[in-house]
Amino acid sequence: MKLTQKQAPHGCTSADRHKLSRRSFLKGGALMLGASTLTIGAPQLIGCSTEPNENGPAPLNEVGASAVEATATESALPDGYQVVNADVLIIGGGNLGVNIALSALSEGREVTMLDKGVWRHSGVSGMSWDYFAGRYFTPAISYLGIENGKALTNALSFTKERDRYVYQVNHGQTLPDRDEKGQYLPFINENRTQGQFCRRHMDNLRTANGFGVDEQFMVTSLLIQDGKCLGAMGIHLPTGAFRVYRANATAIATGGCCWFYGWMTVGSYSINNPDNTADAEMAAFRQGLAIANSEFACYDLMSINPPGLACAFGGGIGADAQEYQFVFDNAGERLFSDDDENVSDRNYFNQFLAKAIAIDGRGTESNGVFLNVGDHGLRYGNARNVDLLERFGVGVRTDQIQIAPEMFEHGGSPIVDENMMTEVEGLFCGRNFPGGADVAGNYYYGLYTGHKIAEYAASQESKADGPSVNWEDVNVERARLEAIRTHRADDGVRPLQVRQMIQEAGFTGMGVYRTTELMEKSLAELRRIREDELPRMTVADSSLVFNTEWKHAIENYNLLDLAEMSVQASLNREETRGSYMRAEFPEKDNVNWNCVQVCRLQDDQMVFEKVSFEPLDASVLEQ
């Protein structure tokens, strides 16, 4: 591991960007299975239906992408691929991706979206989050003052409708609660509102001209040639078909990956979506792009019993800084005081919580605390689960409920310039969050990213058959995926077993209270898993159709890379900042660490750098 310091470029052009060539996965740190010796057969092509589906997305050949082409019709293409030509390609079908799509469509671009989950039921929107993070921009959990301030300034300046309620309601993106007079029902204060996501914004997109979505599609690699992104490729999960998307411009809009953090009977210590496994981010990392802010995450408190509903936003009950008055310690005393003016700040809340549990001994044996709501009202996301929990014998209104920190958001995305473009020309990323995304950020970053990607796509020369792709690189990625599916070991270990090892190690090193000892222990275990367990990982099912073990095995490489990167970055950052406490360095250090830390892959090693950005132009908040 090497750590260096550099200043971020500002206003860089495509000529200034890193000229990143396609990295051979079979030689790199991502896979060591000797796959170069395999002979890969071509799977049967699966065509796309041309019949409309009243309950699902419009078929690909009716939208802003050409129909999936049978490769036999184009001699330049190798056998066994489905190829789609797109104008603007968006990876991720949640709240951020939707805002990018709406913005790009409004500027006349055609948009193709790749959704790893089932359309309308994936991402934060599919989870039916229960309230807005805030009405107007304020320095909040997603803002630590070290991110690309110029990108944030540009995004806020571009947002024409500063009242997010008006914008999001007009686009059908939420269903806010109202009182008997029809006014928004505040949550905690007038800058927040109760309510819930609904899926009308996805319905609006589905009927928009120039929009199409490929659901249950897992991106495994980005098509990068001579420092320029030409699209992405991956697997259609229901059929196992390999698809290549050639695009004029591509955006990463996936959610933060938290699924490497712990395991409790049926899921991770996270309310985040299990499909968020950093697929696109780690694909970028394997090709040399810098990944920023992997040490930062966001936490709140969720119930840990009964285990089958633990840490689940759709089945649990919990609290964060907005419900501090309901949080009690192991002696039955309130953990937070009403006189503490900082308590509603989530970063402060989590740092205080870490100290109370780990140092002051006020936590439970499970390193949690208690929730005691009594007869007080509950926010929608918790209130809807009361009946469910009571069926399992949990007396939400009569008992103290044990709750523990869970990770609901995470950093770890490609670094961007002031135009939301990554180091590779034509590849954008809608995330500029040290602590992880929030609804507000998805709004203004999404709209601005959509504007910049539309602007870039308009500058590109469109070709009827799409950008010219190096099919040798595509074949290398396909060989990697086939090797994962077909590899067998005499003492094989199943993908789920490997995943739980990664999650246990990640849980050790990435909690709200981080010590050097715990992080070094976590790193040692993650590196042991890479050395000893990945070569033995065996997918029992060799089929292509709905092969969930194959999917999990591919994801494990991403989870392992991100977990190791995150723990090492945390170990490097010798200060306390954001939502966790560093035991040996309990104070913020703006002299040495008022910067973003990035990680890139060089010679199969993780190399870390410090990057400093211009700060936010505060005058934009007064507009």
Side-chain angles (χ1 to χ4, degrees):
M1 189 279 297
K2 181 173 67 175
L3 182 65
T4 59
Q5 176 90 39
K6 74 173 185 177
Q7 190 75 17
H10 299 289
C12 56
T13 65
S14 59
D16 300 320
R17 296 182 181 279
H18 294 279
K19 298 300 182 182
L20 301 174
S21 61
R22 178 70 159 86
R23 181 175 294 273
S24 171
F25 294 157
L26 302 181
K27 294 181 180 179
L31 181 62
M32 297 293 183
L33 296 181
S36 58
T37 63
L38 297 177
T39 301
I40 307 300
Q44 181 181 0
L45 283 174
I46 310 296
C48 282
S49 169
T50 60
E51 295 298 321
N53 181 353
E54 63 181 5
N55 296 317
L60 284 170
N61 55 356
E62 292 186 0
V63 297
S66 67
V68 173
E69 304 169 83
T71 58
T73 65
E74 189 173 344
S75 59
L77 306 184
D79 289 337
Y81 294 100
Q82 299 173 342
V83 181
V84 180
N85 296 327
D87 180 21
V88 170
L89 181 67
I90 300 175
I91 303 171
N95 184 240
L96 176 59
V98 164
N99 280 306
I100 295 174
L102 288 170
S103 183
L105 284 167
S106 72
E107 299 194 22
R109 308 315 303 177
E110 293 184 334
V111 173
T112 300
M113 181 175 285
L114 304 179
D115 191 340
K116 190 178 181 183
V118 176
W119 176 244
R120 298 176 75 252
H121 300 277
S122 63
V124 66
S125 300
M127 293 171 65
S128 190
W129 218 262
D130 66 334
Y131 73 98
F132 282 134
R135 189 165 188 173
Y136 306 102
F137 173 81
T138 54
I141 190 168
S142 63
Y143 178 72
L144 298 183
I146 60 174
E147 60 273 82
N148 189 331
K150 195 167 184 180
L152 178 55
T153 300
N154 290 346
L156 290 171
S157 298
F158 175 76
T159 307
K160 300 178 179 62
E161 179 54 74
R162 299 304 297 275
D163 188 329
R164 290 196 299 275
Y165 291 175
V166 173
Y167 173 84
Q168 293 182 327
V169 171
N170 285 344
H171 285 77
Q173 292 196 61
T174 189
L175 192 62
D177 293 340
R178 298 176 184 266
D179 61 20
E180 62 276 4
K181 296 181 180 180
Q183 301 299 312
Y184 294 123
L185 189 62
F187 177 73
I188 304 299
N189 58 54
E190 63 181 14
N191 194 41
R192 299 171 184 269
T193 185
Q194 290 187 173
Q196 56 188 291
F197 279 105
C198 58
R199 301 184 178 100
R200 287 180 294 157
H201 61 312
M202 294 182 172
D203 293 335
N204 291 344
L205 273 178
R206 177 174 172 262
T207 59
N209 290 329
F211 176 80
V213 61
D214 189 358
E215 64 177 2
Q216 298 184 78
F217 181 84
M218 179 180 180
V219 169
T220 66
S221 183
L222 301 170
L223 305 180
I224 297 177
Q225 293 174 204
D226 300 322
K228 185 174 182 179
C229 183
L230 304 179
M233 71 168 291
I235 302 168
H236 181 237
L237 296 171
T239 62
F242 293 94
R243 289 181 183 164
V244 174
Y245 282 83
R246 302 184 293 197
N248 292 323
T250 303
I252 296 175
T254 49
C257 171
C258 305
W259 214 243
F260 65 87
Y261 185 67
W263 180 260
M264 182 180 287
T265 66
V266 296
S268 186
Y269 271 81
S270 175
I271 63 173
N272 204 303
N273 194 307
D275 276 336
N276 289 346
T277 51
D279 306 331
E281 292 86 348
M282 293 302 98
F285 170 69
R286 288 191 292 264
Q287 297 193 55
L289 275 77
I291 304 299
N293 302 311
S294 61
E295 66 267 43
F296 294 114
C298 302
Y299 306 84
D300 60 15
L301 294 162
M302 287 296 289
S303 51
I304 61 176
N305 286 303
L309 299 175
C311 295
F313 191 73
I317 187 168
D320 59 20
Q322 309 306 323
E323 297 92 20
Y324 69 88
Q325 65 270 36
F326 303 143
V327 180
F328 289 74
D329 65 11
N330 54 19
E333 301 293 330
R334 276 185 55 178
L335 198 62
F336 298 93
S337 169
D338 291 329
D339 296 329
D340 191 339
E341 61 183 15
N342 297 314
V343 68
S344 61
D345 177 86
R346 277 183 163 177
N347 292 328
Y348 173 87
F349 177 88
N350 284 310
Q351 291 175 17
F352 187 100
L353 181 69
K355 179 178 180 296
I357 294 174
I359 299 177
D360 300 338
R362 301 178 68 183
T364 68
E365 292 182 358
S366 301
N367 290 320
V369 287
F370 290 103
L371 179 70
N372 188 351
V373 297
D375 294 326
H376 297 284
L378 293 169
R379 57 191 265 196
Y380 171 78
N382 289 323
R384 65 184 177 186
N385 298 329
V386 170
D387 289 343
L388 175 64
L389 288 167
E390 288 181 345
R391 292 182 199 173
F392 285 85
V394 179
V396 174
R397 300 189 184 278
T398 58
D399 303 333
Q400 286 196 129
I401 310 300
Q402 190 172 180
I403 52 179
E406 61 84 25
M407 182 188 293
F408 71 88
E409 257 293 352
H410 183 253
S413 56
I415 198 169
V416 295
D417 66 11
E418 64 268 29
N419 298 315
M420 305 304 291
M421 190 183 287
T422 70
E423 296 172 303
V424 168
E425 181 185 345
L427 178 63
F428 295 76
C429 180
R431 291 168 61 88
N432 182 36
F433 308 100
D438 61 14
V439 178
N442 286 339
Y443 165 63
Y444 48 77
Y445 280 130
L447 296 186
Y448 181 60
T449 302
H451 165 64
K452 298 308 293 187
I453 198 171
E455 189 176 76
Y456 176 83
S459 71
Q460 300 303 296
E461 179 184 357
S462 296
K463 299 179 181 179
D465 58 351
S468 179
V469 171
N470 184 338
W471 292 102
E472 182 179 349
D473 289 346
V474 173
N475 284 331
V476 169
E477 170 63 5
R478 180 176 172 183
R480 181 182 83 96
L481 300 175
E482 289 280 25
I484 293 173
R485 181 175 64 87
T486 59
H487 176 69
R488 298 291 182 271
D490 292 337
D491 57 345
V493 57
R494 302 289 285 275
L496 183 58
Q497 294 173 287
V498 175
R499 174 161 303 192
Q500 291 179 4
M501 295 177 197
I502 296 170
Q503 290 167 322
E504 183 176 350
F507 190 73
T508 299
M510 285 295 291
V512 293
Y513 187 73
R514 304 179 192 177
T515 69
T516 299
E517 180 182 2
L518 287 174
M519 289 186 286
E520 288 179 344
K521 178 181 178 182
S522 174
L523 274 177
E525 174 61 7
L526 290 168
R527 289 164 181 168
R528 186 201 67 79
I529 294 169
R530 186 183 300 278
E531 183 73 20
D532 298 340
E533 306 298 343
L534 280 191
R536 299 195 301 127
M537 186 168 65
T538 298
V539 176
D541 180 6
S542 60
S543 70
L544 292 168
V545 178
F546 270 117
N547 191 336
T548 54
E549 269 210 327
W550 185 25
K551 170 179 175 284
H552 292 160
I554 296 169
E555 292 170 338
N556 281 350
Y557 287 94
N558 301 328
L559 292 173
L560 183 57
D561 283 345
L562 184 63
E564 182 176 342
M565 180 192 306
S566 300
V567 177
Q568 183 64 68
S570 300
L571 195 58
N572 295 343
R573 184 176 282 274
E574 296 182 338
E575 65 159 358
T576 289
R577 187 185 297 262
S579 286
Y580 70 91
M581 172 172 282
R582 178 73 190 273
E584 297 85 1
F585 305 95
E587 303 297 329
K588 185 183 293 185
D589 180 1
N590 281 331
V591 174
N592 297 300
W593 285 102
N594 191 35
C595 60
V596 167
Q597 186 178 190
V598 302
C599 177
R600 66 174 78 248
L601 191 64
Q602 293 181 355
D603 299 324
D604 300 331
Q605 299 295 319
M606 291 185 180
V607 177
F608 293 81
E609 300 170 343
K610 293 180 179 180
V611 180
S612 298
F613 287 106
E614 293 181 13
L616 168 71
D617 181 355
S619 66
V620 73
L621 302 179
E622 302 171 1
Q623 297 177 6

